[in-house]
Amino acid sequence: SVCLVKDDIIACLVANNILAKEYIIKFLSKSIPHYMIPSKILFFSSLPKLSNGKIDLRKIQKILEQPNSNKESSGNFCEI
């Protein structure tokens, strides 16, 4: 997983099953302060990566900037 901070904290998770947002928030609230809890949770089947193996944050940012109707078509993405 990776978190991006712009105006919000956004968690990007790789998971086979989409988990309930409430479950994730409850789990995180046991370990981190409330101000660090992500406001959005994005699920990917795999995170986009650069040729050097690092996570492609620019590609994730582009996905976030797309209109809602185009996000799912951008490749294995689900927002809750």
Side-chain angles (χ1 to χ4, degrees):
S1 67
V2 63
C3 291
L4 305 174
V5 178
K6 190 158 185 164
D7 293 334
D8 297 320
I9 296 176
I10 302 169
C12 298
L13 305 174
V14 175
N16 292 335
N17 299 329
I18 296 174
L19 304 170
K21 182 178 181 178
E22 294 79 21
Y23 174 79
I24 295 170
I25 290 172
K26 185 177 178 181
F27 177 80
L28 290 174
S29 65
K30 293 178 183 178
S31 329
I32 59 176
H34 73 281
Y35 61 87
M36 295 179 73
I37 303 292
S39 58
K40 292 184 182 178
I41 301 173
L42 311 176
F43 289 90
F44 291 86
S45 60
S46 63
L47 290 173
K49 294 189 178 176
L50 299 168
S51 59
N52 62 3
K54 293 182 179 180
I55 296 170
D56 190 346
L57 298 177
R58 289 185 183 154
K59 188 172 275 188
I60 292 173
Q61 186 64 35
K62 285 181 184 178
I63 291 170
L64 292 171
E65 292 171 354
Q66 290 178 357
N68 288 337
S69 60
N70 294 334
K71 284 183 180 178
E72 274 83 20
S73 64
S74 65
N76 305 319
F77 165 83
C78 179
E79 178 178 356
I80 62 170

